[in-house]
Amino acid sequence: MKKIIFKTIILTIGLIIISLLLIYILTLPNIWKVFDLTNTSSIGDTIGGITSPLLGIISVIFLYLTLNRQIDSFNDQKIKNESDIIFMLFNQLDNEYNQIYLYSTNKGERIRKFGHEALIDYCNSVFKFYSGNKKFSQYYIADSIILVIRSFELIKKRIHISPLNSEMKELFFKKMETFYLCKLKDPLYKLTDLFEREKSLLDEYTLEINEFYKSMEKKL
């Protein structure tokens, strides 16, 4: 953009110089009388006719630069808005993850755990909560896990269709990958292992968790 402005300034100065030179040349006594404009009453019209097209060209150039600048500003704002949406979805995902809860007992006292601590504790002692006559979707924590997985997939889709450049998309995808590695990989590994051994748990939730886990592991 700076190069365009610099070139425009040079061009404008050049056009002004040319205009002044033309005015000077055309008002000099001419060799041929027919081209002698020094004694004409329409000298103002002559000068105006020479300079008006040049000034018109200059105006068009500046209008073009203004429109270009507005387009650049619009694109910058669009990228900022898109980034804000993705960050908002990240925050929502994190909130949903932190709202996962689990009740446990410690020395007879009932404790309520949240987020990563709750999910890890559940997956580490999943057999304690397992009952052979229930599907996985019937456990209250199953809905919370599925909600997090679906939000995760939603963010991936949003990044993919966004107008962000490839570098920004790559950074967001790396953030997604880090979230998975830190918060989901180990718990989902233990759950998928349980599903493999306990076929009675299998339902649409277990299928979705298995597919998500396998797809993420392939990309790592």
Side-chain angles (χ1 to χ4, degrees), residues 4-28:
I4 295 174
I5 294 173
F6 177 74
K7 289 179 180 178
T8 304
I9 292 172
I10 296 299
L11 179 61
T12 303
I13 293 172
L15 290 172
I16 291 172
I17 292 172
I18 292 171
S19 299
L20 294 174
L21 285 173
L22 284 173
I23 293 170
Y24 175 74
I25 292 169
L26 291 173
T27 54
L28 288 173

Side-chain angles (χ1 to χ4, degrees), residues 101-113 140:
Y101 69 92
L102 175 71
Y103 284 108
S104 62
T105 55
N106 183 18
K107 297 180 181 180
E109 183 182 355
R110 200 177 190 205
I111 301 172
R112 192 178 188 184
K113 298 179 180 179
Y140 73 91

Side-chain angles (χ1 to χ4, degrees), residues 151-168:
S151 294
F152 189 97
E153 292 287 8
L154 174 64
I155 298 173
K156 282 173 57 181
K157 182 68 175 178
R158 183 72 198 197
I159 296 170
H160 181 70
I161 65 173
S162 72
L164 300 173
N165 59 47
S166 57
E167 184 180 358
M168 283 295 295

Side-chain angles (χ1 to χ4, degrees), residues 13-88:
I13 293 172
L15 290 172
I16 291 172
I17 292 172
I18 292 171
S19 299
L20 294 174
L21 285 173
L22 284 173
I23 293 170
Y24 175 74
I25 292 169
L26 291 173
T27 54
L28 288 173
N30 207 286
I31 298 173
W32 294 285
K33 191 174 182 180
V34 70
F35 293 112
D36 188 2
L37 303 175
T38 55
N39 296 319
T40 61
S41 59
S42 59
I43 186 67
D45 293 337
T46 304
I47 295 172
I50 295 169
T51 57
S52 291
L54 295 174
L55 294 175
I57 292 171
I58 294 171
S59 299
V60 169
I61 291 171
F62 278 110
L63 177 61
Y64 170 76
L65 288 173
T66 302
L67 292 175
N68 259 355
R69 187 59 187 163
Q70 287 179 346
I71 291 171
D72 289 342
S73 178
F74 173 77
N75 289 335
D76 290 343
Q77 187 62 41
K78 187 177 180 181
I79 290 172
K80 181 183 180 302
N81 291 342
E82 190 65 32
S83 298
D84 288 344
I85 290 172
I86 294 173
F87 278 120
M88 181 190 69

Side-chain angles (χ1 to χ4, degrees), residues 58-190:
I58 294 171
S59 299
V60 169
I61 291 171
F62 278 110
L63 177 61
Y64 170 76
L65 288 173
T66 302
L67 292 175
N68 259 355
R69 187 59 187 163
Q70 287 179 346
I71 291 171
D72 289 342
S73 178
F74 173 77
N75 289 335
D76 290 343
Q77 187 62 41
K78 187 177 180 181
I79 290 172
K80 181 183 180 302
N81 291 342
E82 190 65 32
S83 298
D84 288 344
I85 290 172
I86 294 173
F87 278 120
M88 181 190 69
L89 291 173
F90 267 122
N91 289 334
Q92 181 180 327
L93 172 64
D94 208 44
N95 288 335
E96 290 168 355
Y97 185 86
N98 290 330
Q99 286 172 7
I100 296 174
Y101 69 92
L102 175 71
Y103 284 108
S104 62
T105 55
N106 183 18
K107 297 180 181 180
E109 183 182 355
R110 200 177 190 205
I111 301 172
R112 192 178 188 184
K113 298 179 180 179
F114 290 92
H116 191 62
E117 184 183 13
L119 186 57
I120 289 294
D121 193 32
Y122 175 80
C123 293
N124 284 338
S125 55
V126 67
F127 280 102
K128 183 172 68 176
F129 305 97
Y130 169 64
S131 172
N133 59 355
K134 290 173 68 175
K135 298 294 184 182
F136 182 70
S137 58
Q138 294 177 281
Y139 292 91
Y140 73 91
I141 202 169
D143 289 322
S144 298
I145 295 172
I146 288 296
L147 178 62
V148 168
I149 288 174
R150 289 174 181 174
S151 294
F152 189 97
E153 292 287 8
L154 174 64
I155 298 173
K156 282 173 57 181
K157 182 68 175 178
R158 183 72 198 197
I159 296 170
H160 181 70
I161 65 173
S162 72
L164 300 173
N165 59 47
S166 57
E167 184 180 358
M168 283 295 295
K169 286 184 178 181
E170 183 65 24
L171 290 173
F172 277 124
F173 280 129
K174 284 187 179 298
K175 183 176 175 67
M176 297 292 295
E177 183 180 308
T178 303
F179 183 93
Y180 171 79
L181 291 173
C182 293
K183 298 186 175 184
L184 293 176
K185 179 180 172 69
D186 186 56
L188 293 185
Y189 166 75
K190 291 173 180 176

